[in-house]
Amino acid sequence: MATAMKTADAGALLAQEIAGEFPDRRGRFGPFGGRYVPETLVPALDRLEAGVHRWLKDPAFVAELEHELATWVGRPTPLTHARTLSARWGAQVYLKREDLAHTGAHKINNAIGQALLAKRLGARRIVAETGAGQHGVASAAACARLGLPCTVYMGAIDTERQAPNVGRMKLLGATVVPVTGGDQTLRAAIDEALRDWVADPDGTYYLIGSVVGPHPYPYLVRELQTVIGREARAQMARQAGGLPHAVFACVGGGSNSMGMFHPFVADRDVALVGVEAGGRGAKLGDNSATLTLGRPGVLQGAYSMLLQDEHGQIQETHSVSAGLDYPGVGPEHSLLQATGRVQYEYATDDESLEALAECCAAEGIITAIESAHAFASARKWAATHPGSRILICLSGRGDKDMPTLQKTLLKGQA
Ligand SMILES: *Cc1c(COP(=O)(O)O)cnc(C)c1O
């Protein structure tokens, strides 16, 4: 089992990770990752892999991506010194403001990058799947920008729960298909999106929303999201006078955290902490703390940690934040956990909501509930590391969470 990896193996794997050797030729991050897909998808994934290697290094592609990030997404996003939180926590707290990126979160970095890649690969249309709707909105916006038709599959239950995001996607010109089969949530939507892609793997591009799925997606999404960590690293040096002592990011599928952590992995003195959704507590079914409480297995085309029962059945998950409510996690995180380079822990629903309230009052920023999980852990760390420099990835803004906040933090208030 991953967590029982021998120290010697862990050291060697971490050295390989730092040397940039992962994913290897088989699409693996040590024992994790790979490609567990139907035979019909292999040629499409091979073509995608060749395209990723070609275009991500192509100067004209890179220039066009950087232009879109600067003039349409709004990058670089600022680094904010959280003055009041710093005074209260007894540490210097800095916030990387992905909430200020277009559409309100880091997801747009990935969506615009993959949509540009799809064009280069000759795709005529995009398919995506979405749970809470945030990735669907980012995909719809990127496709509108580039003139690509976009179909978003969404579980029928989620289309009801996330009606405002369905409206946003429609305004942005996407076709939203409610999926009535299976569990009628994210997993059913993923199955439908894959089915659509298999039907026309040449003309259709499958735009995945996190560092998950079969190779090369975890690598591709990581490369598109590391702009977060690269900017933050330079901004810390300039504004804070040095690298952070610790970096915190929330972990759902793992894309904002991977994008933030990856440029710091070689800086062994920088503590990296991934914060999962602890939900109502540690009981199976009450949380989405995949790395902290899961076991390895195969989900969505890759071998990684996942939440499953003793028979290997994928477990129902719970979190107050829709964006963290997912039973799997990207394979590179499983490696970073097994090697001990990143520490993973969880914050509960209540701890996260409390942290969100504190950030609103102290800094004038309504964070997404997802991001608030990172604040909850950072605050605990500050208590035992006085005077340290802390960097938090503020992955998104909380406007989308108002219905949940009305029912929780604002409950009973006039
Ligand atoms: C989707 C989302 C997340 C979780 O996704 P990751 O792939 O783990 O980053 C976190 N924060 C916000 C604001 C999101 O929208």
Side-chain angles (χ1 to χ4, degrees), residues 54-68 116-117 120:
R54 171 170 175 205
W55 292 109
L56 291 194
K57 288 188 199 81
D58 180 82
F61 178 86
V62 173
E64 190 177 356
L65 175 58
E66 282 176 359
H67 180 77
E68 289 303 304
L116 278 172
L117 178 64
R120 290 293 204 286

Side-chain angles (χ1 to χ4, degrees), residues 105-107 134 210 250-256 323-324 368 370 395-396:
H106 67 289
K107 286 193 170 77
Q134 294 303 109
S210 190
C250 66
V251 183
S255 67
N256 85 86
L324 301 183
E370 289 86 352
S395 55

Side-chain angles (χ1 to χ4, degrees), residues 132-198:
Q134 294 303 109
H135 173 57
V137 170
S139 300
C143 288
R145 172 74 177 166
L146 300 182
L148 282 164
C150 178
T151 299
V152 181
Y153 291 94
M154 190 169 185
I157 294 175
D158 289 334
T159 58
E160 306 250 317
R161 283 196 292 208
Q162 312 289 340
N165 275 340
V166 175
R168 287 185 188 106
M169 287 184 256
K170 287 184 175 164
L171 279 174
L172 291 164
T175 304
V176 181
V177 182
V179 179
T180 49
D183 64 357
Q184 302 198 37
T185 65
L186 179 60
R187 272 160 55 212
I190 291 170
D191 290 343
E192 276 314 300
L194 281 171
R195 216 163 286 162
D196 184 323
W197 188 31
V198 177

Side-chain angles (χ1 to χ4, degrees), residues 342-368:
V342 179
Q343 183 189 324
Y344 294 89
E345 49 192 49
Y346 61 76
T348 64
D349 288 351
D350 289 345
E351 289 168 336
S352 306
L353 289 170
E354 195 189 311
L356 187 150
E358 184 180 28
C359 181
C360 290
E363 301 300 337
I365 300 169
I366 303 175
T367 73

Side-chain angles (χ1 to χ4, degrees), residues 41 44 114 151 168 179 190 213 219 229 251-252 288 304 341 346 377:
L41 276 182
Q114 285 198 58
T151 299
R168 287 185 188 106
V179 179
I190 291 170
Y219 167 72
V251 183
S288 309
S304 190
R341 178 62 187 92
Y346 61 76
S377 272

Side-chain angles (χ1 to χ4, degrees), residues 16-29:
Q16 281 181 277
E17 168 75 358
I18 289 172
E21 289 170 22
F22 295 136
D24 62 18
R25 278 211 201 91
R26 290 151 57 235
R28 292 200 168 252
F29 300 86

